[in-house]
Amino acid sequence: MGPGPSDIPPRVLEAMARPTIGHLDPVFLQLMDGLRDRLRQLFQTKNETRLAMSGTGSAGMETLFVNLVEPGDKVLVCINGVFGNRMADVAQRCGATVEKVEKPWGQVFDQDEVIAAIERVKPNVVAIVHAETSTGAHQPIDRLGAAAHEHGALLLVDCVTSLGGAPVKIDEWQVDAAYSGTQKCLSCPPGLSPVTLSPRAMERMAARKSKVQSWYLDLSMITQYWGSERVYHHTAPINMLYGLDEALNIALEEGLDARFARHRAMHDLLRAGLADLGVHYVSQDGHHLPMLNAVSVPAGIDDAAGRKQLLNDYGI
Ligand SMILES: *Cc1c(COP(=O)(O)O)cnc(C)c1O
């Protein structure tokens, strides 16, 4: 019972224990095609570009920034917790001029505030965290894609903690680039980062004036391995991909709507119980994540000692 890595179902662990075959073996390539199809369903998108980067969620974050940002570009980053800060750091390292809009931790942005910032800053890319794990805040983002496009910007979204636990509607919300991770709501060990990019984002990449600064994360080469060309770039982490494939099977067997409803029902029960104990949420009322519940340490309780007791006595 932590924010990730989540518990792993035995089916996923068993899948990962299968023999390691070659990264160009036809059997493995078939598994990758199936996995891409399941990613389409999970991301609720028609985007052609859907794949799992070799690395954790942060590698997915870095992938999108290094591919979509060129030195001198303006990036608007919304910060209300740990992961917004990390995005600003990564964008800066790409040579971007970073403009920040900030909110106190736990609060969410009113979408109109972000839209006003887009109008003021005129960025090339707008970056925002959908589920801020550090505070449990659930950020509404459904109107930001259209506003970004109106001003020539791309919308880049961190859905590491939301994908598989709450709706992530890439096409309906006009998200251009999104990354996630395997060890949160997909209940798979850490090590892969599912990403998807819109045709608009792929056009931006194709129009780059400079090479992507990272060889390992350069999508122009990696998409040729995941696509029909099957050009070797780096050795895919075979057994991790077995695990993700099975984790996505489990998610889709349950059904996304049923899965979201289950998280919501458990959240409502937990929140009611915590309220009875006088334990309050850190995130803004009306914007609590269903699958990640961040609470304040009650007055009079020592933080470190309290958490140690929860871990040792209750496995929380
Ligand atoms: C966990 C997390 C990340 C980073 O993922 P790693 O797998 O730890 O690299 C990024 N963003 C959010 C919102 C996260 O919860």
Side-chain angles (χ1 to χ4, degrees):
M1 294 182 74
S6 310
D7 291 345
I8 314 298
R11 267 176 69 181
V12 171
L13 295 174
E14 282 160 17
M16 292 178 71
R18 295 206 305 257
T20 306
I21 58 176
H23 55 283
L24 293 169
D25 189 300
V27 171
F28 185 68
L29 297 178
Q30 210 176 350
L31 180 134
M32 288 173 73
D33 285 342
L35 203 151
R36 286 190 70 240
D37 185 55
R38 289 185 259 292
L39 285 180
R40 178 179 56 70
Q41 297 176 57
L42 206 71
F43 277 121
Q44 304 190 40
T45 185
K46 293 197 178 68
N47 287 345
E48 188 55 36
T49 310
R50 326 174 288 277
L51 50 89
M53 293 299 292
S54 308
T56 65
S58 306
M61 179 190 290
E62 193 128 24
T63 296
L64 298 188
F65 281 103
V66 295
N67 282 277
L68 295 176
V69 173
E70 288 193 83
D73 280 359
K74 256 194 234 170
V75 177
L76 179 70
V77 184
C78 306
I79 301 177
N80 56 354
V82 165
F83 294 104
N85 264 323
R86 187 175 298 182
M87 290 204 296
D89 188 0
V90 171
Q92 228 146 25
R93 288 165 193 247
C94 295
T97 305
V98 173
E99 299 273 349
K100 302 176 184 173
V101 278
E102 304 195 47
K103 274 269 168 187
W105 285 33
Q107 289 186 26
V108 295
F109 290 91
D110 184 327
Q111 292 192 78
D112 286 327
E113 293 173 282
V114 180
I115 292 168
I118 293 171
E119 285 165 359
R120 178 167 46 79
V121 173
K122 301 187 177 37
N124 302 88
V125 174
V126 181
I128 195 159
V129 178
H130 185 218
E132 185 43 86
T133 314
S134 59
T135 64
H138 196 174
Q139 174 66 50
I141 57 169
D142 58 305
R143 290 168 48 223
L144 300 182
H149 296 161
E150 208 175 300
H151 295 87
L154 297 175
L155 178 63
L156 191 165
V157 172
D158 176 322
C159 57
V160 175
T161 285
S162 47
L163 192 71
V168 174
K169 301 180 180 180
I170 296 298
D171 289 2
E172 193 179 316
W173 299 344
Q174 301 187 42
V175 175
D176 294 295
Y179 60 92
S180 190
T182 42
Q183 79 275 25
K184 311 267 167 87
C185 289
L186 300 178
S187 295
C188 184
L192 289 172
S193 173
V195 301
T196 186
L197 287 93
S198 70
R200 194 185 296 255
M202 295 308 284
E203 277 166 34
R204 175 78 63 91
M205 268 178 51
R208 286 181 68 101
K209 291 188 272 308
S210 55
K211 263 191 174 179
V212 171
Q213 83 217 37
S214 165
W215 181 88
Y216 194 69
L217 303 177
D218 186 340
L219 283 172
S220 68
M221 293 188 279
I222 292 171
T223 51
Q224 289 188 42
Y225 173 56
W226 282 82
S228 54
E229 304 91 331
R230 302 298 184 189
V231 181
Y232 161 71
H233 177 257
H234 64 270
T235 310
I238 310 291
N239 295 57
M240 271 309 304
L241 287 156
Y242 292 158
L244 177 59
D245 186 58
E246 190 62 5
L248 297 186
N249 278 337
I250 293 172
L252 294 171
E253 276 165 26
E254 180 176 12
L256 291 182
D257 288 340
R259 200 170 171 88
F260 302 154
R262 174 168 57 82
H263 280 294
R264 170 65 56 194
M266 295 302 120
H267 164 81
D268 288 342
L269 278 172
L270 178 63
R271 189 153 55 96
L274 288 169
D276 287 346
L277 296 173
V279 176
H280 301 293
Y281 276 63
V282 175
S283 40
Q284 181 180 335
D285 262 345
H287 296 281
H288 305 307
L289 286 171
M291 73 309 253
L292 188 132
N293 297 264
V295 298
S296 298
V297 179
I301 292 187
D302 180 77
D303 176 20
R307 282 187 292 116
K308 196 169 171 185
Q309 193 183 352
L310 285 174
L311 178 63
N312 292 342
D313 298 352
Y314 303 97
I316 296 173

